[in-house]
Amino acid sequence: MKYAKAFFSLLLAAIVVISFNTKLSAIPPLGKFLDPFHGFWNNAENKHPKTSNNLKIDGLKGSVEIKFDEHMIPHVFAESNDDLYFAQGYITAKDRLWQMDFQTRFAAGRLSEVVGSKAIELDKYQRRMGMVFGAENMVKAMKNDPVSQKSIEAYAAGVNAYIKSLSPGEYPIEFKILNYEPEKWTPLNTALLLKLMSATLAGGSNEFYMSNILNKYGADVVNNLFPDYPFHEDPIIPAGTKWNFKPLPIPTAPSLSDPGKTSQHKTKELEEGIGSNNWAVSGAKSASGYPLLANDPHLELSLPAIWYQIQLVSNDVNVYGVSIPAAPGVIIGFNKNVAWGVTNVGADVLDWYSVKFKDQSKKEYWYNNKWNPVKVKIETIKVSSGETVLDTVYYTHQGPVVYIDNEKPASFSKAGNIPEGHALRWVAHDASNDTRTFYMLNRAKNYTDYRKALTYYSAPAQNFVFASVENDIAITPNGYFPLKWKDQGKFLLSGADPANDWHGRIPADQNPTVKNPPRNFVSSANQFSTDKTYPYYLNWEFAGYERGHRINSRLAAMTNVTIDSLRNLQNDNYSILAENILPTLIKNINTENLNATEQEGFEIVSKWGKFFNTKEIGASIFEIWRKDLSVKIWGDEFGDPKVPMRFPSTDRTVEMLINEPNAVWFDNIKTTYKETRNDQIQASFKFAIDSLQRKFGALGDKWQWGNVKHSYVPHLAKIPGFSSKFLNNGGSKTSVNALSETNGPSWRMVIALGKNVKGYGLFPGGESGNPGSFYYDDMIENWSNGKLNELLYLQSKNEKSTHIISSLILNKTK
């Protein structure tokens, strides 16, 4: 029983010393928590809900009928859009209220109100990063659009109607564990959750590392080891695509690049090898003669699930897909005419600028050869103990100075990601009306509607894949892309020079795009958006090409494509990286210098088929081998803890391993011996075998990849007992099925367009956010096994279906 596990893990050690009605630290008042009528026992749910129910709700203009299928996925039928989004807010809150509340408090820097003083530095960090600043700007933009304003306000009203209906005994279990109450929902909460997605997908940077490397090794080494275009690439927009527009003039780079002083701050580095996939194939390649579309966005997984499945039907829309629990509409999904999906672009939309204050008062900063006024914002942080903390944040025209000199707390690990004395320019701070994009996509009928919808979208930049029943397919890396000079933001920027500012944006209609390419498919896997001919700078580095190349190779070879063809591709565990480097690694092992276990391991990895399947021991050996080899090659030169730097990319490492066997970087400069490429290959292989043996014992079943990777889905607040069980599955960061320990496909979807659209999809979890519900994780087993559920797309509320197990009618009160 999940509650029992969580309860005893959290409370058993402290139970004898806690007053039953006093809250100490993070432990709830036990009298309240154990109350059989109002405590955690009250959160248990029956697997078999009432077959029908009627409620009267203040705020509705008409009646709404919600039908629930066997996974308790709601199919909402309303007579107007106001009632539709009201009902969406209501039913989402019913299933996910604590998740919505906790995530918005996290984004807003308000966790101290719940968990006490231990979250003060985290709250300061979130506010100094400008999360609320960006969300407030977003609300202003949405309220300037009558369509967006009505939808977000109706959604908020629905959430609040549900909150109002609850007694304390009916609060979700986490409120009881953490001993606090839900609060009124506002459009700002919606904006905060959307900005949190920007922080998740576009909140990392490498320029501090790159500036340190430039200072230490110079431009020649940087250009050699960190090139602006990879050796291996298979771009999203097919190479050779012509650009049918006249580009804007590119801003002129400053004559002297100033990387600034060497930084000792360790930033949030962009993680390599984590990403998402989407693609669409035209009717020319499908068995049905109509397009098919697939999407699996990869994120850090959690329970409750990241997404919330829903069907929304009113007088002008009938859409099915997944929503974000906090925002109206469907984010990824389909209707009878079109389907769409998204993956992260990875454009450079976050830059750091050094700031020179005039004096200790920090009232002015140097910019454009003069002193300029600093804007000051006083943040008020309330603590659950009753304490109030005031925090001062300074803003230049570029953004917040997250930490001024000598201000950063050494004990707060997240602060290590941020340099002192730098202002943050980030697209997430700008006003945006992203919800309008999804409002329009939900109602889209054709390619023209798709293109118009994208003009409203800003961040986080996404690769929007599209297919229509009219047999059009397309893909567009889309969002607010700053107009920059080449490599602007690759290194730290001087905040004093106007030439380093962003110079507007790339026009939305000049973002890269392709429609109905000759190869009859489009795809993305976070790799480079274009070949070198695209006239604008988006970034100097994207995700590796391996997943994208595997997808394109398989799609190119497919004919008579079906739902299963694409489902199987989503679950493809083959590694192009292993294909590229394993022959070189194998060839350069001296087998005479291996002990018996190493000999056996070498035989296994030599015969391994390069699939990261669950039972493959060769996959475990290879993964540890290649990771340690990277450390042995680069760690001596780029691993100085006093001057944080990053390693060259996997692409650059592969190129050197295969084609530059005598590169100076193979030598470990910390030893007197001059190591060669083969020395490092041999040493890393021995390390891989030794580490597996130390952790898992003698070579055997425990060395299998599924066990070594050890995937599971953690609870959002890491509450013991509320996470998933161990999931013994395959996949890897360099496979299409890019599943690691806790990061992977947050939603898998395949849509077959046609006279009667068919949808299939699944996410790792369930509709309910209640750990005491059968529907908390009822879909996770099928997801782990690579299966898809057929999605029930009802044409009307009167359509009969054996999959419907319950219904709820919401009526207006007057």
Side-chain angles (χ1 to χ4, degrees):
M1 183 178 178
K2 297 186 182 75
Y3 287 149
K5 292 179 183 178
F7 171 71
F8 288 115
S9 297
L10 289 169
L11 307 178
L12 189 57
I15 197 169
V16 295
V17 295
I18 299 172
S19 168
F20 264 48
N21 288 287
T22 302
K23 182 178 187 295
L24 298 177
S25 184
I27 302 171
L30 294 190
K32 297 178 183 179
F33 190 68
L34 294 173
D35 183 341
F37 301 104
H38 304 98
F40 80 98
W41 306 104
N42 202 46
N43 292 92
E45 287 185 5
N46 194 323
K47 178 180 176 181
H48 305 288
K50 290 182 180 179
T51 55
S52 63
N53 199 6
N54 283 264
L55 296 175
K56 288 190 175 182
I57 306 290
D58 284 333
L60 284 172
K61 298 176 180 177
S63 64
V64 177
E65 184 169 356
I66 305 175
K67 297 175 179 287
F68 299 92
D69 64 27
E70 65 265 46
H71 296 288
M72 288 303 288
I73 295 164
H75 304 257
V76 184
F77 295 86
E79 296 169 1
S80 69
N81 288 325
D82 286 350
D83 282 354
L84 183 70
Y85 296 125
F86 181 102
Q88 184 184 9
Y90 183 93
I91 199 66
T92 305
K94 184 176 184 297
D95 281 331
R96 304 290 188 88
L97 180 60
W98 176 78
Q99 176 188 20
M100 296 165 68
D101 181 279
F102 187 80
Q103 288 186 309
T104 52
R105 286 178 187 270
F106 171 78
R110 295 182 54 209
L111 283 185
S112 296
E113 298 173 16
V114 175
V115 302
S117 59
K118 62 186 177 184
I120 289 174
E121 292 301 337
L122 173 61
D123 287 349
K124 285 183 179 180
Y125 170 85
Q126 291 293 90
R127 299 184 189 209
R128 286 164 173 253
M129 286 291 289
M131 293 295 289
V132 177
F133 171 62
E136 289 171 342
N137 289 334
M138 184 180 212
V139 170
K140 292 175 185 176
M142 291 191 292
K143 288 190 172 181
N144 284 332
D145 178 350
V147 172
S148 294
Q149 180 179 14
K150 289 180 72 175
S151 64
I152 60 171
E153 290 182 348
Y155 188 92
V159 175
N160 290 326
Y162 178 70
I163 293 173
K164 185 179 178 181
S165 74
L166 295 177
S167 67
E170 294 170 318
Y171 290 163
I173 184 66
E174 291 93 344
F175 284 108
K176 298 172 184 178
I177 290 176
L178 298 170
N179 193 39
Y180 78 107
E181 298 180 351
E183 65 179 9
K184 183 179 180 181
W185 190 268
T186 70
L188 180 63
N189 294 79
T190 293
L192 281 164
L193 259 294
L194 294 174
K195 292 301 180 182
L196 188 59
M197 291 299 287
S198 281
T200 300
L201 297 172
S205 62
N206 278 314
E207 52 260 52
F208 305 103
Y209 298 109
M210 294 306 302
S211 293
N212 285 345
I213 293 167
L214 182 60
N215 281 327
K216 183 170 183 177
Y217 291 111
D220 288 344
V221 167
V222 168
N223 292 335
N224 179 271
L225 296 184
F226 303 91
D228 290 338
Y229 204 82
F231 290 90
H232 308 89
E233 192 48 276
D234 197 339
I236 293 168
I237 307 302
T241 298
K242 304 300 180 185
W243 312 110
N244 58 351
F245 55 80
K246 183 179 180 181
L248 298 179
I250 305 301
T252 302
S255 57
L256 179 64
S257 177
D258 178 16
K261 64 182 180 180
T262 297
S263 169
Q264 294 187 9
H265 306 299
K266 191 171 177 62
T267 68
K268 179 185 176 183
E269 186 176 354
L270 296 170
E271 186 174 357
E272 190 175 12
I274 288 295
S276 309
N277 312 302
N278 63 20
W279 57 83
V281 298
S282 77
K285 289 184 76 71
S286 73
S288 68
Y290 288 97
L292 293 95
L293 180 143
N295 190 197
D296 54 302
H298 292 216
L299 295 166
E300 192 65 29
L301 304 175
S302 67
L303 289 172
I306 295 167
W307 304 101
Y308 185 72
Q309 283 190 63
I310 197 165
Q311 181 179 7
L312 298 170
V313 186
S314 75
N315 57 344
D316 71 344
V317 67
N318 185 349
V319 64
Y320 189 112
V322 288
S323 64
I324 295 174
V330 165
I331 304 298
I332 300 170
F334 66 98
N335 60 37
K336 68 177 182 179
N337 297 304
V338 307
W340 71 95
V342 297
T343 65
N344 198 41
V345 173
D348 185 7
V349 295
L350 182 155
D351 290 326
W352 294 93
Y353 294 83
S354 60
V355 177
K356 178 183 177 183
F357 290 111
K358 185 176 183 180
D359 51 40
Q360 290 301 312
S361 70
K362 301 176 187 65
K363 293 181 179 179
E364 294 179 291
Y365 70 102
W366 186 252
Y367 171 74
N368 198 18
N369 296 315
K370 63 178 182 178
W371 296 108
N372 297 268
V374 171
K375 292 182 180 179
V376 177
K377 186 174 183 181
I378 306 298
E379 296 284 359
T380 302
I381 299 172
K382 297 179 180 179
V383 187
S384 59
S385 63
E387 177 188 2
T388 297
V389 176
L390 300 180
D391 190 40
T392 303
V393 185
Y394 302 93
Y395 282 77
T396 73
H397 73 286
Q398 282 136 352
V401 183
V402 182
Y403 289 106
I404 61 176
D405 289 338
N406 302 315
E407 183 183 53
K408 192 168 62 172
S411 60
F412 178 56
S413 60
K414 247 184 172 333
N417 298 336
I418 307 300
E420 295 171 335
H422 284 76
L424 171 63
R425 177 68 178 102
W426 186 21
V427 72
H429 291 157
D430 296 353
S432 61
N433 187 18
D434 305 314
T435 55
R436 183 63 184 273
T437 292
F438 300 107
Y439 182 95
M440 295 177 70
L441 284 174
N442 288 187
R443 292 160 174 80
K445 294 180 173 61
N446 50 43
Y447 174 80
T448 301
D449 291 346
Y450 155 77
R451 291 292 294 168
K452 185 175 180 181
L454 296 193
T455 62
Y456 289 91
Y457 190 79
S458 290
Q462 299 290 290
N463 299 299
F464 282 83
V465 69
F466 169 84
S468 79
V469 74
E470 295 180 354
N471 240 321
D472 287 324
I473 59 171
I475 195 164
T476 306
N478 188 68
Y480 185 110
F481 297 131
L483 184 61
K484 294 183 171 188
W485 39 269
K486 191 173 187 295
D487 283 345
Q488 184 177 352
K490 186 173 183 176
F491 309 100
L492 291 174
L493 296 166
S494 168
D497 189 348
N500 289 326
D501 285 344
W502 293 359
H503 303 276
R505 65 171 293 176
I506 297 171
D509 62 358
Q510 295 184 13
N511 287 345
T513 190
V514 66
K515 176 188 179 186
N516 298 331
R519 65 187 188 182
N520 291 314
F521 68 86
V522 293
S523 75
S524 75
N526 314 107
Q527 73 270 42
F528 263 77
S529 300
T530 71
D531 63 16
K532 295 180 182 180
T533 65
Y534 184 63
Y536 297 114
Y537 174 74
L538 297 179
N539 206 345
W540 68 275
E541 185 177 43
F542 291 80
Y545 91 113
E546 289 88 359
R547 285 181 295 112
H549 184 63
R550 176 65 173 175
I551 291 166
N552 290 344
S553 297
R554 288 200 58 186
L555 289 176
M558 286 185 187
T559 57
N560 296 315
V561 177
T562 64
I563 289 285
D564 278 342
S565 306
L566 302 192
R567 180 186 64 80
N568 289 334
L569 180 51
Q570 287 179 332
N571 288 281
D572 188 301
N573 293 330
Y574 187 78
S575 172
I576 293 292
L577 175 62
E579 176 184 296
N580 287 342
I581 67 169
L582 189 58
T584 297
L585 301 185
I586 294 294
K587 182 174 64 176
N588 289 288
I589 284 289
N590 178 4
T591 57
E592 294 180 0
N593 193 25
L594 302 179
N595 63 32
T597 301
E598 291 165 353
Q599 286 276 8
E600 187 177 359
F602 181 75
E603 288 297 316
I604 290 171
V605 76
S606 298
K607 296 175 181 177
W608 173 53
K610 307 174 186 67
F611 284 90
F612 277 83
N613 295 333
T614 307
K615 296 183 178 182
E616 294 286 355
I617 293 175
S620 302
I621 297 171
F622 171 78
E623 187 67 5
I624 298 172
W625 186 5
R626 68 102 178 172
K627 283 184 175 180
D628 184 70
L629 180 57
S630 180
V631 172
K632 281 184 166 56
I633 294 171
W634 305 117
D636 52 327
E637 288 95 354
F638 298 95
D640 185 349
K642 296 180 181 179
V643 186
M645 293 176 280
R646 53 156 288 181
F647 291 178
S649 68
T650 298
D651 177 77
R652 185 65 185 90
T653 305
V654 169
E655 177 67 16
M656 195 171 78
L657 277 168
I658 296 173
N659 296 320
E660 303 170 31
N662 299 315
V664 297
W665 304 103
F666 289 116
D667 177 42
N668 185 347
I669 60 175
K670 295 181 178 181
T671 70
T672 56
Y673 178 75
K674 185 175 182 179
E675 289 83 4
T676 66
R677 178 189 67 174
N678 292 0
D679 290 332
Q680 302 291 27
I681 290 173
Q682 187 91 5
S684 290
F685 176 76
K686 286 177 170 289
F687 173 87
I689 299 299
D690 182 65
S691 62
L692 285 166
Q693 198 166 13
R694 286 175 181 270
K695 186 171 183 178
F696 300 104
L699 197 160
D701 290 349
K702 289 184 178 180
W703 287 34
Q704 292 177 356
W705 175 240
N707 185 59
V708 171
K709 177 165 65 73
H710 210 83
S711 294
Y712 74 105
V713 183
H715 181 261
L716 180 62
K718 306 299 188 286
I719 295 177
F722 287 4
S723 300
S724 80
K725 65 179 183 179
F726 160 56
L727 303 172
N728 192 19
N729 49 34
S732 74
K733 291 183 178 182
T734 60
S735 305
V736 177
N737 183 24
L739 179 60
S740 61
E741 182 184 10
T742 59
N743 192 300
S746 59
W747 164 245
R748 289 193 185 107
M749 178 185 80
V750 180
I751 306 300
L753 291 157
K755 293 179 180 178
N756 294 299
V757 62
K758 293 284 187 182
Y760 300 81
L762 202 60
F763 56 57
E767 284 290 273
S768 176
N770 178 7
S773 169
F774 171 80
Y775 302 102
Y776 177 70
D777 58 2
D778 63 308
M779 293 186 273
I780 204 165
E781 190 71 27
N782 277 349
W783 172 87
S784 182
N785 292 329
K787 298 178 181 178
L788 296 176
N789 291 341
E790 184 171 356
L791 307 177
L792 179 61
Y793 183 68
L794 298 174
Q795 300 297 323
S796 74
K797 67 180 180 181
N798 297 319
E799 182 179 343
K800 303 296 183 184
S801 173
T802 57
H803 296 285
I804 299 298
I805 63 171
S806 178
S807 67
L808 171 64
I809 296 177
L810 305 179
N811 294 300
K812 62 181 180 180
T813 55
K814 296 180 181 179

